[in-house]
C-alpha cells in the first residue's frame, strides 16, 4: 500500500475507533466506509475493514450488518485483487456489486496511488 494511501487508511480507522469509543456509531461507520474505499485493492486491509464493520454491527445489534459483513469479509479476501466496485462503501445496506462515487478527498489519494 502506497504510504499516503496507508496513512489515510490508518487515519480513517483511528477516527472510527475514537467515534466508536465515544458512542457515535454513525460517525464510526462513516469512517469505516471511507477506510473501505481506500482499502479495496488490498485484500488483508479490505478484509480487516469488513471485520471492523462486522464488530461494529455486532455492537449495535444490527443483524443485517453482521450477516452482510460476514459474507463480505470472505469475499474481500477472494476478490480484492481481481475486481472491486470502485467507491463502494462496503456496508450491508448497499449492493456489494455497485460502484459508487468516490468522495473528493479520497479520489485525490487514490489518484496519486494510480499515478505512481
Amino acid at each position: 500500500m502506497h504510504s499516503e494511501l496507508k496513512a489515510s487508511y490508518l487515519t480513517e480507522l483511528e477516527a472510527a475507533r475514537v467515534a466508536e469509543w465515544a458512542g457515535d456509531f454513525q460517525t464510526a461507520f462513516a469512517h469505516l466506509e471511507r477506510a473501505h474505499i481506500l482499502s479495496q485493492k488490498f485484500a488483508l486491509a479490505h478484509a480487516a475493514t469488513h471485520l471492523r464493520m462486522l464488530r461494529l454491527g455486532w455492537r449495535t445489534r444490527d443483524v443485517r450488518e453482521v450477516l452482510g459483513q460476514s459474507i463480505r469479509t470472505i469475499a474481500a479476501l477472494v476478490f480484492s485483487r481481481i475486481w472491486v466496485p470502485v467507491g463502494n462503501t462496503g456496508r450491508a445496506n448497499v449492493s456489494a456489486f455497485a460502484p459508487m462515487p468516490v468522495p473528493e478527498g479520497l479520489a485525490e489519494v487514490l489518484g496519486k496511488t494510480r499515478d505512481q
Side-chain angles (χ1 to χ4, degrees):
M1 190 179 278
H2 181 268
S3 62
E4 186 176 350
L5 177 60
K6 185 174 184 177
S8 296
Y9 171 71
L10 293 175
T11 296
E12 294 297 341
L13 290 182
E14 178 60 14
R17 187 193 66 75
V18 169
E20 182 179 355
W21 185 82
D24 186 353
F25 303 129
Q26 184 175 352
T27 299
F29 268 122
H31 285 292
L32 289 175
E33 289 173 356
R34 291 172 61 83
H36 177 266
I37 293 166
L38 293 169
S39 69
Q40 283 182 301
K41 298 280 187 175
F42 305 93
L44 293 178
H46 188 183
T49 304
H50 281 294
L51 284 173
R52 294 273 304 263
M53 288 181 179
L54 188 152
R55 190 184 84 206
L56 190 53
W58 182 268
R59 185 160 182 211
T60 59
R61 294 175 173 50
D62 185 336
V63 174
R64 179 180 182 184
E65 198 69 48
V66 170
L67 293 175
Q69 296 307 328
S70 297
I71 294 165
R72 289 167 190 236
T73 299
I74 295 165
L77 290 169
V78 175
F79 294 108
S80 291
R81 304 288 264 162
I82 300 167
W83 176 83
V84 293
V86 175
N88 188 289
T89 61
R91 293 287 304 277
N93 62 351
V94 299
S95 168
F97 304 104
M100 301 170 83
V102 177
E104 190 173 318
L106 300 185
E108 291 175 24
V109 173
L110 291 171
K112 289 177 185 176
T113 304
R114 278 191 293 268
D115 294 340
Q116 294 180 354

